[in-house]
Amino acid sequence: MNTFPLFFKLEDQKVLIVGGGEVALRKADLLSRAGARITILAPAISHEIRELLSDDKHELIEKNYHKSYMSGARIIIAGTDDEGLNHQIHADATDLNIPVNVVDTPPLCDFIFPAIVDRNPIVIGISSNGKAPVLARLLRARLETLIPQGYGKLAKLAGDFRAEVKAKIPTLTGRRQFWERAFEGQVSQLMFAGNENEAIAQLQADLDSTAAISKKKAIDTEIEQPTNVPVISDVSTDSQIPDSQTNVGEVYIVGAGPGDPELLTFKALRLMQQADIVYYDALVSPQVLDLCRRDADKVFVGKKRSNHTVAQLGINELLVNSAKKGRRVVRLKGGDPFIFGRGGEEIESLRSHGIPYQVVPGITAANAAASYAGIPLTHRDHSQSVRFVTGFLKAGAPNSNFKNFLDTDETVVFYMGLHSLSRLTEGLIEAGRNTETPIAIVSNASMPNQQVLTGTLATIVEQQEKAQLPTPALLIMGDVVSLHDDLSWYNQYNQNSEDTADNWLRGGISSLNKDKKSSASQQAHALSMIANLAE
C-alpha cells in the first residue's frame, strides 16, 4: 500500500483551509459533515462558503496567508491557485508536524481525500492514491447502488443492542452468529423497508430467543458434566436458530424496467443480489438477469401471447411455497409490477398466506418507449393527459372501449396491442377518431435494437405489414407523436448496433432457434417445480 487508510475524528477539531473559492468550498462541505470547526483563510471568500459555514463554530478570515493561523489546527488544506503559496503552506505545515493536503498535488499531500460512501456510522473511503480520482469516484458510484441507506440505521441499531447482546450471549462465536443472522435476515430487511420499530422488535425477540437457547444448553451441559469441568455454551447449529429466522422467507416483487440494466433502481439491484431464487418473465433482458445473485436459482415463468409457460395461479403457488421454505424470493417483472404486470394478484396471494413481501417499482414500458422514441407523453401544446390501456382484458378478451379514446388532448398508450393493430385502428376510426391521428409503434424500447415506426390510424397497418416490427412493442397515439422526428435521440446512437441477437433476449431472427431450445429447457424447469407442489 502506498498510503494507509485511516479515519480521522474531527468533531470540534480545528481544520484550516487556505483558499476561498470552489476548491475550498468542496473540502469545507465534506469536513463540515464530520463536525469539524473550519477556519477559512483567504483575501476573498465566496458567498457559497459563507452560506455553508454560517454557524458560529466556524471562522472566516479575509486576510492573506500567514503561518501563525496554523496554530491549533488538526489538519490543513491548501486550496489556492498560487503554486508558490501552496508549496509554502506545505513547508510550514511540515515544520509544525501538522498533516497537510495540497489539493490536486499528490507529492505535497500527507493524506488523501477519498471518494466517500456515507452510511453513517458506516463510512467507506476509496482512493487511487491520486492516480485516478475520477475512477475512484466511479467506483464509489457503483458502491452507492449496492449499499442501501438503511445500513446506517442498521449499524446504529447494532450499537444500541451491543451491550445487551454481550450480556445475554456469553461466547464470541455465539454473538458473531447472532449478528450474522440479524444482518442477513428479517431484521435488516425490515430496516431497509423503513419499518424501524418492527426491526427493533424483531431483533429483541431474536435476542431473547437466542439467549434462552444458549442458557438452556448451558444448563443441560452442566447437568451432564462434572461440576469441575468448565462449561462453554454456544449457538452454532441450524436447529438453534430462532424460529422467526427460519420459518418463512420474503418475496420481493421487482420491476425490472424496459430492458436496459442501467434503468434499474438501487433498491431493485440490492434485492436482486441477495435473492435465493428468481422467478423472471420473458420481458426481462439477460443483462438485467445477470445482475441477480450469481448462485441464485433462476426460473423462467414468462408469459407471451397464447403461450403461458406457467399459469398465473401456478406462479402464485411458486412464490408462496418458496417463501415458506425460508427463501428470499425475487419475482422479476419487465416494466412495472403494478402496470399490467399482475403484481396486485401476486401480493393478494402472498397476503392471504401471511408471506412478507415488498414491491419495488420499475420504469414502465410506456415511459421507456416514449422517452427513448422522443415522444413526450404530455406536452402543453399537444396533450394535457395520458392514458395507459391494455389491448386485452382478463382471459384474453379484446379491449374494445373505443369511445373512451376520442379526446384529442390526450395521449393513449396501448400495451399488448401490436397483434390487434388492425382491430384497434378500425375500431377507433369507426368510433369517430380522425383517420389522420398520429400513431407510433415502439419496438424493443430502450434496447440496442429499438425500432420506431410512425404513421396515422389510416396508414399504420399497411406500414407495419411492410416493416414487421417485432414484439414487445407499444402503440402511442396522439398529437405528441408528431414530435418524434424532431425529438428522437436514442436510435441515432445505436445505428451501428447490428449484433443484438447474441446480446438480448429479444434479439433478431438469428437467435430464434437458440431461444427455442433455451425456452424449452426453462419451461421444463418451471413445470417440474409446479408438479412438485402437489407432492
Side-chain angles (χ1 to χ4, degrees):
M1 292 182 289
N2 294 327
T3 56
F4 189 81
L6 294 171
F7 290 88
F8 271 78
K9 287 185 177 181
L10 294 177
E11 184 74 32
D12 290 327
Q13 297 293 315
K14 176 182 175 179
V15 174
L16 174 64
I17 301 177
V18 183
E22 183 180 348
V23 172
L25 175 65
R26 292 200 308 267
K27 301 307 181 185
D29 185 28
L30 277 175
L31 292 163
S32 64
R33 299 183 199 180
R37 290 189 297 107
I38 299 171
T39 297
I40 299 290
L41 175 61
I45 300 174
S46 71
H47 175 69
E48 290 80 7
I49 290 179
R50 293 181 182 278
E51 283 192 342
L52 175 67
L53 304 180
S54 59
D55 194 299
D56 291 340
K57 70 184 289 184
H58 306 300
E59 186 178 10
L60 307 181
I61 303 174
E62 286 192 288
K63 293 183 178 181
N64 290 321
Y65 167 76
H66 189 272
K67 183 178 180 179
S68 61
Y69 291 109
M70 291 186 175
S71 177
R74 187 69 179 272
I75 60 174
I76 296 170
I77 293 95
T80 80
D81 55 5
D82 185 332
E83 186 176 348
L85 177 57
N86 287 339
H87 276 79
Q88 182 61 52
I89 295 168
H90 175 265
D92 292 343
T94 301
D95 288 343
L96 295 173
N97 202 28
I98 302 174
V100 61
N101 175 286
V102 178
V103 179
D104 291 334
T105 312
L108 300 182
C109 292
D110 296 327
F111 63 93
I112 293 172
F113 280 87
I116 296 171
V117 179
D118 184 4
R119 300 292 185 268
N120 183 46
I122 302 294
V123 179
I124 301 171
I126 306 163
S127 172
S128 66
N129 289 306
K131 304 297 183 183
V134 173
L135 179 58
R137 289 197 295 270
L138 291 174
L139 290 173
R140 183 203 66 184
R142 184 162 298 184
L143 285 177
E144 290 278 8
T145 69
L146 304 178
I147 303 172
Q149 294 290 336
Y151 268 113
K153 290 184 177 180
L154 190 62
K156 291 175 182 176
L157 176 61
D160 293 341
F161 271 78
R162 186 174 181 181
E164 186 177 354
V165 169
K166 188 173 183 179
K168 290 185 175 181
I169 303 177
T171 67
L172 182 62
T173 301
R175 291 193 293 272
R176 175 181 57 79
Q177 292 175 343
F178 169 80
W179 285 121
E180 285 175 351
R181 292 195 300 272
F183 295 150
E184 295 179 357
Q186 189 68 14
V187 172
S188 64
Q189 291 311 310
L190 287 169
M191 187 63 78
F192 296 157
N195 300 324
E196 189 169 349
N197 291 334
E198 292 181 35
I200 294 171
Q202 181 71 61
L203 185 60
Q204 185 67 64
D206 294 343
L207 175 56
D208 293 342
S209 179
T210 302
I213 292 171
S214 179
K215 183 176 181 180
K216 182 178 183 301
K217 183 176 180 182
I219 293 172
D220 292 344
T221 304
E222 186 175 353
I223 292 172
E224 294 172 4
Q225 295 289 339
T227 57
N228 62 339
V229 177
V231 175
I232 301 176
S233 62
D234 205 344
V235 179
S236 58
T237 65
D238 291 340
S239 62
Q240 294 165 329
I241 297 175
D243 289 342
S244 59
Q245 293 282 349
T246 59
N247 275 356
V248 66
E250 188 170 9
V251 176
Y252 315 123
I253 312 293
V254 176
D260 184 346
E262 293 188 355
L263 297 181
L264 286 168
T265 64
F266 288 173
K267 187 171 186 179
L269 184 60
R270 172 174 60 82
L271 295 178
M272 288 162 57
Q273 291 179 339
Q274 67 185 37
D276 299 313
I277 185 167
V278 179
Y279 295 103
Y280 66 98
D281 282 346
L283 299 182
V284 177
S285 70
Q287 280 79 357
V288 169
L289 191 63
D290 191 50
L291 293 176
C292 294
R293 190 172 127 194
R294 294 289 182 185
D295 57 345
D297 190 11
K298 301 175 182 67
V299 182
F300 177 71
V301 292
K303 296 185 287 291
K304 297 182 179 179
R305 191 175 70 99
S306 302
N307 180 19
H308 291 193
T309 302
V310 180
Q312 186 61 51
L313 289 178
I315 295 174
N316 295 349
E317 287 188 80
L318 287 172
L319 300 180
V320 169
N321 281 273
S322 294
K324 284 184 175 179
K325 295 176 182 177
R327 307 187 80 182
R328 290 169 294 188
V329 184
V330 162
R331 175 70 173 103
L332 198 56
K333 294 173 170 290
D336 182 274
F338 277 15
I339 300 182
F340 306 123
R342 299 193 180 182
E345 297 174 42
E346 290 171 354
I347 66 172
E348 284 176 342
S349 174
L350 295 169
R351 190 176 184 85
S352 68
H353 288 86
I355 305 296
Y357 62 86
Q358 297 182 45
V359 181
V360 182
I363 294 178
T364 187
N367 287 337
S371 298
Y372 278 66
I375 302 174
L377 291 177
T378 61
H379 190 287
R380 287 190 297 175
D381 297 331
H382 298 276
S383 174
Q384 284 69 55
S385 63
V386 61
R387 186 190 297 243
F388 296 168
V389 182
T390 176
F392 286 89
L393 304 175
K394 195 171 183 180
N399 188 346
S400 302
N401 299 317
F402 299 117
K403 290 185 178 180
N404 294 329
F405 313 133
L406 302 182
D407 186 352
T408 57
D409 292 328
E410 181 177 71
T411 304
V412 182
V413 181
F414 291 96
Y415 285 69
M416 297 167 283
L418 187 60
H419 291 290
S420 56
L421 181 62
S422 178
R423 179 184 61 80
L424 286 173
T425 54
E426 290 174 3
L428 288 163
I429 292 172
E430 289 176 3
R433 194 78 195 232
N434 192 315
T435 58
E436 296 303 308
T437 300
I439 188 170
I441 302 172
V442 184
S443 169
N444 290 307
S446 84
M447 313 287 269
N449 54 344
Q450 173 181 293
Q451 297 179 71
V452 181
L453 180 66
T454 61
T456 67
L457 289 180
T459 65
I460 195 65
V461 172
E462 182 178 354
Q463 290 175 272
Q464 169 61 5
E465 288 177 353
K466 295 178 181 178
Q468 292 294 303
L469 266 61
T471 58
L474 274 79
L475 313 178
I476 304 177
M477 180 183 73
D479 289 346
V480 291
V481 173
S482 63
L483 301 173
H484 164 70
D485 289 339
D486 291 334
L487 303 184
S488 177
W489 61 272
Y490 179 65
N491 283 98
Q492 63 180 309
Y493 297 114
N494 294 280
Q495 292 176 354
N496 297 323
S497 301
E498 299 176 356
D499 187 19
T500 60
D502 294 332
N503 294 326
W504 298 95
L505 185 65
R506 305 187 291 285
I509 295 175
S510 64
S511 67
L512 286 179
N513 292 332
K514 179 177 66 177
D515 286 348
K516 285 180 181 178
K517 182 178 179 181
S518 174
S519 178
S521 63
Q522 292 168 336
Q523 182 168 339
H525 184 193
L527 292 177
S528 68
M529 295 189 69
I530 290 288
N532 289 336
L533 293 176
E535 295 182 356

